[in-house]
Amino acid sequence: MFDAAAVKRDFPILNQPGEPSLVFLDSGASSQKPQVVIDALVNYYSTANSNVHRGVYKLAVAADAAFDGTREQVAMWLNAPSSDEVIFTRGTTEAINLVASSWGRANLQPGDLVVSTLMEHHSSFVPWQMVAEEKGARFEAVRLTASGELDQDHYQELLAQHPKVVAFTHVSNVLGTINPVKEMTAQAHAVGAIVCLDAAQSAPHMAIDVQDLDVDFLALSGHKMLAPMGVGVLYGKRALLEAMPPYQSGGSMIRKVTLEKTTFANLPHKFEAGTPSVGDVVGLGAAISYLQGLGFADIARHEHDLAAAAIGQLNALPGVTVYGPGADVPRAGVVSFAVDGVHPHDVAALLDEKGVAVRAGHHCAQPLMRELGVTATTRASFYVYNTIDDVDRLVEGVRHAQRVFA
Ligand code: PMP
């Protein structure tokens, strides 16, 4: 049994006094932080803070060890062959922009095809659309089925046109759909395309093995997985990263600078120009350890159970439409819905009156909103600290919104 009530006690922000107590259902946007992550930050800044990769004094050595140690930890967590293939970024957005800019500019030619999907967050859509436009490449997106899954027939049609790159999300931040990454990646490779995976909504919630998935690039954000804001990861296959030009230039990423020419550092430093967010990286390490302690398989099961309960109870309310796959298939703990006659922002505001924090809007997924035929949805997203009582509070809040607008 996953003891979410015990997990919740580890998160100070969820245990503040006052009525109604806080039910936080917006972890898809950003998660809360457990005491161990807060402590890791305090400890780092109290005992080891210094810039990295340049000092010889004890603090600098301690900061280097903490920073590079976390890189090793991330590589082991993702099962990356080498920590040289782990690049720290500010988050998923920066990681995908790095790939689209660096790999895209170096490899795309006029007439090439870039494949995305209609369920992408803008950060896995717009960077590829922009570089395609810049290079005169075509940009196409896989359509969706009525149940909110990728239309695999359409994907096959696009693959038959030999794209250079397929960029898509592991888990939809609106629908909770889990895409068949391993199969789609193998099919992309079979036609010579590389795969750039957006793992922003998967890495926090399920075990990830980059060698098993065989993706070429994978991007994730620390702040969605209990770590501080300001740190994320790009994993990339060594051969691709080595062949790519730097994304940003400046300090820490050079081998030699002369008036005539600059040469670049080895991986991963070539892609880490400037001072990184060392404390946040340390916090990411603490978050990974905490999540591994809970167990990713159990986390995924727990969130699926919460989503199943929420979908069942919301569907039972007249006038409520739930989007995305049902709970009879593996799906993530993201549940988007509409309440007849109540704008999503009003649903969210009325839920907030009851202490329930949900998100309303287009969720940075306007192409998907267009597919759904709406401008916005209300979204509840679950994480390790959510309990079945939180689902009940959500459903009570929706009924409250219905009564207000009756
Ligand atoms: N991709 C997906 C699927 C997301 O849900 C998000 C965050 N909402 C992002 C990318 C962007 O992440 P960040 O803002 O941390 O860069």
Side-chain angles (χ1 to χ4, degrees):
M1 251 300 274
F2 189 89
D3 191 351
V7 172
K8 198 172 214 167
R9 288 196 284 277
D10 291 338
F11 290 74
I13 207 167
L14 302 177
N15 292 285
Q16 299 178 88
E19 286 294 327
S21 61
L22 173 61
V23 171
F24 188 73
L25 299 181
D26 195 23
S27 300
S30 196
S31 75
Q32 297 304 343
K33 321 301 172 198
Q35 190 64 52
V36 283
V37 168
I38 298 168
D39 289 348
L41 286 178
V42 171
N43 184 51
Y44 170 76
Y45 284 112
S46 310
T47 65
N49 178 53
S50 145
N51 212 324
V52 281
H53 302 149
R54 50 198 90 189
V56 293
Y57 48 87
K58 288 188 182 58
L59 282 184
V61 172
D64 282 355
F67 187 69
D68 292 326
T70 306
R71 198 190 303 278
E72 295 288 336
Q73 185 188 2
V74 170
M76 280 172 60
W77 165 52
L78 296 175
N79 195 29
S82 162
S83 62
D84 291 349
E85 298 169 310
V86 172
I87 293 154
F88 289 120
T89 66
R90 280 194 303 124
T92 303
T93 303
E94 189 178 54
I96 296 175
N97 273 276
L98 189 165
V99 180
S101 290
S102 170
W103 184 91
R105 288 209 178 105
N107 290 281
L108 292 175
Q109 310 281 343
D112 281 348
L113 175 62
V114 173
V115 170
S116 180
T117 89
L118 288 181
M119 69 163 70
E120 297 312 303
H121 186 280
H122 294 159
S123 60
S124 173
F125 192 91
V126 182
W128 288 109
Q129 188 182 44
M130 284 177 67
V131 73
E133 192 176 324
E134 180 185 317
K135 302 298 289 189
R138 286 193 300 134
F139 181 76
E140 298 281 353
V142 182
R143 291 190 295 262
L144 307 188
T145 65
S147 57
E149 284 159 319
L150 292 177
D151 179 341
Q152 294 297 330
D153 292 336
H154 188 218
Y155 182 51
Q156 298 308 321
E157 277 172 37
L158 293 171
L159 287 184
Q161 299 168 41
H162 293 274
K164 275 265 182 78
V165 53
V166 178
F168 67 105
T169 192
H170 196 168
V171 168
S172 163
N173 67 313
V174 178
L175 302 171
T177 315
I178 302 176
N179 291 319
V181 172
K182 196 173 169 178
E183 294 73 14
M184 288 176 67
T185 300
Q187 291 162 354
H189 287 163
V191 300
I194 64 146
V195 169
C196 180
L197 187 71
D198 175 350
Q201 295 291 346
S202 60
H205 307 281
M206 60 185 71
I208 300 282
D209 180 332
V210 290
Q211 294 190 63
D212 182 52
L213 295 175
D214 201 27
V215 291
D216 301 283
F217 297 102
L218 178 143
L220 63 92
S221 295
H223 71 93
K224 292 184 197 286
M225 49 178 293
L226 312 184
M229 289 184 178
V231 60
V233 169
L234 172 68
Y235 155 80
K237 285 184 180 167
R238 181 190 288 276
L240 288 166
L241 290 172
E242 280 179 345
M244 283 157 53
Y247 172 53
Q248 295 185 329
S249 52
S252 303
M253 53 73 74
I254 55 92
R255 183 189 308 280
K256 191 168 183 202
V257 181
T258 65
L259 181 59
E260 292 72 32
K261 189 165 177 59
T262 295
T263 55
F264 307 118
N266 289 336
L267 295 177
H269 309 291
K270 181 171 88 172
F271 291 107
E272 290 183 357
T275 298
S277 197
V278 181
D280 297 331
V281 166
V282 171
L284 175 64
I288 293 169
S289 299
Y290 181 87
L291 289 167
Q292 285 176 322
L294 298 180
F296 277 97
D298 288 346
I299 292 171
R301 203 171 306 118
H302 172 66
E303 292 170 11
H304 183 274
D305 290 348
L306 295 177
I311 292 168
Q313 291 191 48
L314 288 170
N315 272 331
L317 297 180
V320 175
T321 308
V322 179
Y323 300 105
D328 51 328
V329 296
R331 53 119 59 233
V334 180
V335 179
S336 273
F337 58 94
V339 182
D340 285 357
V342 193
H343 192 277
H345 285 114
D346 292 326
V347 177
L350 289 162
L351 279 164
D352 184 53
E353 279 179 7
K354 301 287 181 187
V356 181
V358 297
R359 179 80 181 276
H362 57 58
H363 314 292
C364 302
Q366 288 179 354
L368 174 56
M369 293 296 114
R370 203 159 301 123
E371 281 290 288
L372 297 175
V374 297
T375 52
T377 72
T378 308
R379 179 188 75 180
S381 50
F382 300 104
Y383 207 9
V384 289
Y385 33 68
N386 293 121
T387 63
I388 199 75
D389 290 346
D390 294 351
V391 175
D392 295 341
R393 292 267 304 273
L394 167 71
V395 175
E396 272 170 37
V398 172
R399 294 176 59 192
H400 163 65
Q402 287 183 313
R403 281 193 299 271
V404 170
F405 275 81

